Amino acid sequence: MPASNGLLSLAPGRSAIRHLSAATATSNDLGDGPMVVVPPEQLHRPSDAHETAVGIEMAKYRLAKLSSTDGITTPGTPPETTVSDSYAFAFDIDGVLIRGGKPIPEAIEAMKVLNGQNEFGIKIPYIFVTNGGGKTEKERCIDLSRQLEMEISPGQFICGHTPMKEMATKYKTVLVVGGEGEKCRHVAEGYGFRDVVTPGDIIKDNKHTTPFRKLTDEETTNSRVRNFGEQEINAIFVFADSREWAGDQQIILDLLMSKHGRLGTRSETSDEGPPIYFSHNDIVWSTSHDLTRLGMGALHTHGINKPPETVYFVGDTPESDIRGTNEYNDSAVSENIWYSILVRTGVFREGTKPTFMPKATVDNVLEAVKHGIHREMVKAERKKALDHAMKSAIEGVEEVGK
């Protein structure tokens, strides 16, 4: 029976993966170790999405070099299931799967197709790529599981700020910008950053830093007391969209022009300030409103376990999703083909010519999935015909040589 905190008690012999109910799970339940967020009705009767969610979650932990002595085992693939290892899908979320907090109608059907409900009887791996909004991968996992009503694991998520965890040991004191309240500070500390500063900390130390921005009572309480006249900030990380861009920009500029990241100083060469990293560089994203909202973002993606030959990236923004996919595909670091698909359910509007052209433009995410699968099946048939022709030719040469 599921426990009251939303955890599912594991039966003896089962893989040590925690199953959290999407209906009741909170950030306090997340903890460490592999996990899958599950709609309540699927806690005891897994859906077709379970295998993909578990498989990718375990692949993430294997890549993190967690050994089997930790009690983690890899669940086997049922013999009757065929899982594609030659191609996979990566999805932007806002404007592709979700709009205004609700699933786009075709999104749930698209997930069913990927999870094996298709004419070919195959399952296709997939991941989700999102700006993050100052939430951890596990928190976003809970949100999307509730919205799509299916099993999803944190291993399937890449947030815009996910790659920043790799720099946690490189810098001691860092300024983290963006998000609501203290969320981005908590995410950064969860990534292992040792000393995390927010704009609120700086304003609390010196209110004249941003004369037109006043901290709220809550911000004053949460901001930490320290003397920035004696503190060097080693790097700046923009984790998510700022709620107070004017003040945050002023602080960022002051640091970039400072001498070794010490506020109140000025570099004579203007190149002695700390480095700055942006989690994403989109300037637009899709919301429930009719008009496109301004933001900022960049695309960070990776392959699943062993990199597939082709990754179909489905997005709604030519200036970020499509541009990022195309540029990564053309880069020297890409080990596979990244194929961009633009959908009409988000930022892009019919009748406009995208600044960055996708490989394909379709009406919605379901059509994007069908397009990718059809393309792969055509490729497979051509390869099969070519292999047959080559085999016949070789047999003919051998026959002549007898």
Side-chain angles (χ1 to χ4, degrees), residues 48 87 89 106-124 126 365-366 369-370 373:
D48 293 330
Y87 66 105
F89 281 82
E106 294 81 8
I108 293 177
E109 187 64 29
M111 293 297 105
K112 291 180 181 179
V113 171
L114 291 173
N115 288 316
Q117 295 185 32
N118 55 67
E119 60 183 299
F120 307 104
I122 60 172
K123 291 190 175 184
I124 302 140
Y126 53 90
V365 65
L366 177 59
V369 168
K370 290 180 177 179
I373 294 176

Side-chain angles (χ1 to χ4, degrees), residues 74 95-96 163 212 237 280 325 330 354 401:
T74 304
V96 176
F212 299 107
F237 291 91
H280 43 78
T325 306
D330 295 337

Side-chain angles (χ1 to χ4, degrees), residues 20-164:
L20 276 67
S21 169
T24 58
T26 68
S27 57
N28 294 328
D29 297 322
L30 299 178
D32 296 321
M35 56 169 275
V36 176
V37 179
V38 185
E41 63 273 15
Q42 294 166 7
L43 277 171
H44 297 285
R45 298 184 63 182
S47 74
D48 293 330
H50 184 263
E51 183 179 342
T52 297
V54 169
I56 296 178
E57 179 73 350
M58 295 311 303
K60 182 188 74 173
Y61 276 85
R62 288 199 304 271
L63 291 173
K65 298 182 180 180
L66 289 180
S67 68
S68 59
T69 57
D70 294 320
I72 300 173
T73 58
T74 304
T77 300
E80 68 275 10
T81 302
T82 300
V83 180
S84 166
D85 60 358
S86 61
Y87 66 105
F89 281 82
F91 298 98
D92 183 24
I93 295 177
D94 297 319
V96 176
L97 300 172
I98 303 295
R99 184 164 185 151
K102 297 181 181 179
I104 290 171
E106 294 81 8
I108 293 177
E109 187 64 29
M111 293 297 105
K112 291 180 181 179
V113 171
L114 291 173
N115 288 316
Q117 295 185 32
N118 55 67
E119 60 183 299
F120 307 104
I122 60 172
K123 291 190 175 184
I124 302 140
Y126 53 90
I127 58 173
F128 307 103
V129 182
T130 180
N131 292 345
K135 291 186 176 183
T136 66
E137 293 79 1
K138 291 181 179 180
E139 289 173 317
R140 288 306 304 258
C141 177
I142 292 174
D143 292 341
L144 193 61
S145 177
R146 289 170 178 165
Q147 291 164 328
L148 294 181
E149 300 180 350
M150 58 180 275
E151 295 101 324
I152 298 174
S153 68
Q156 292 174 279
F157 263 89
I158 303 174
C159 294
H161 44 65
T162 300
M164 291 182 175

Side-chain angles (χ1 to χ4, degrees), residues 93-381:
I93 295 177
D94 297 319
V96 176
L97 300 172
I98 303 295
R99 184 164 185 151
K102 297 181 181 179
I104 290 171
E106 294 81 8
I108 293 177
E109 187 64 29
M111 293 297 105
K112 291 180 181 179
V113 171
L114 291 173
N115 288 316
Q117 295 185 32
N118 55 67
E119 60 183 299
F120 307 104
I122 60 172
K123 291 190 175 184
I124 302 140
Y126 53 90
I127 58 173
F128 307 103
V129 182
T130 180
N131 292 345
K135 291 186 176 183
T136 66
E137 293 79 1
K138 291 181 179 180
E139 289 173 317
R140 288 306 304 258
C141 177
I142 292 174
D143 292 341
L144 193 61
S145 177
R146 289 170 178 165
Q147 291 164 328
L148 294 181
E149 300 180 350
M150 58 180 275
E151 295 101 324
I152 298 174
S153 68
Q156 292 174 279
F157 263 89
I158 303 174
C159 294
H161 44 65
T162 300
M164 291 182 175
K165 68 174 66 175
E166 299 176 7
M167 290 182 274
T169 59
K170 185 176 181 180
Y171 301 106
K172 180 183 177 182
T173 301
V174 300
L175 172 68
V176 169
V177 178
E180 297 178 1
E182 296 285 289
K183 287 182 179 179
C184 285
R185 191 203 302 264
H186 296 155
V187 172
E189 291 174 340
Y191 284 168
F193 284 96
R194 292 165 287 176
D195 187 16
V196 181
V197 172
T198 68
D201 298 344
I202 294 171
I203 298 171
K204 185 171 184 175
D205 178 58
N206 182 359
K207 64 181 180 180
H208 300 296
T209 304
T210 57
F212 299 107
R213 179 187 171 186
K214 306 299 181 184
L215 296 181
T216 64
D217 291 343
E218 182 180 4
E219 289 173 329
T220 300
T221 300
N222 292 331
S223 297
R224 300 173 184 175
V225 177
R226 59 199 307 168
N227 182 1
F228 286 100
E230 300 177 356
Q231 177 70 61
E232 290 186 359
I233 294 176
N234 307 120
I236 303 167
F237 291 91
V238 181
F239 266 45
D241 301 292
S242 172
R243 281 12 180 208
E244 295 284 350
W245 256 128
D248 290 350
Q249 281 184 327
Q250 182 62 58
I251 291 171
I252 290 172
L253 288 172
D254 286 346
L255 281 171
L256 292 176
M257 297 173 65
S258 71
K259 197 172 185 66
H260 307 304
R262 189 174 293 234
L263 287 165
T265 66
R266 280 292 180 268
S267 169
E268 296 178 0
T269 59
S270 299
D271 61 358
E272 297 176 284
I276 183 169
Y277 300 92
F278 288 86
S279 68
H280 43 78
N281 62 8
D282 291 23
I283 58 168
V284 289
W285 76 87
S286 179
T287 71
S288 58
H289 300 288
D290 292 334
L291 299 178
T292 298
R293 301 291 300 276
L294 292 177
M296 56 97 219
L299 182 62
H300 292 279
T301 54
H302 68 254
I304 304 169
N305 201 2
K306 182 188 81 171
E309 295 173 10
T310 304
V311 177
Y312 292 93
F313 188 91
V314 185
D316 70 311
T317 311
E319 290 77 11
S320 59
D321 300 337
I322 304 307
R323 178 184 182 181
T325 306
N326 292 348
E327 289 183 354
Y328 185 76
N329 181 63
D330 295 337
S331 71
V333 298
S334 177
E335 299 178 353
N336 38 27
I337 296 171
W338 283 75
Y339 186 99
S340 57
I341 303 179
L342 179 66
V343 294
R344 298 184 175 98
T345 51
V347 169
F348 175 66
R349 289 292 177 262
E350 193 64 42
T352 62
K353 182 179 180 180
T355 306
F356 300 91
M357 295 300 295
K359 300 293 184 183
T361 301
V362 297
D363 287 338
N364 53 62
V365 65
L366 177 59
E367 294 304 314
V369 168
K370 290 180 177 179
H371 174 85
I373 294 176
H374 175 74
R375 184 172 179 270
E376 290 298 318
M377 291 304 159
V378 170
K379 286 166 57 178
E381 286 299 319

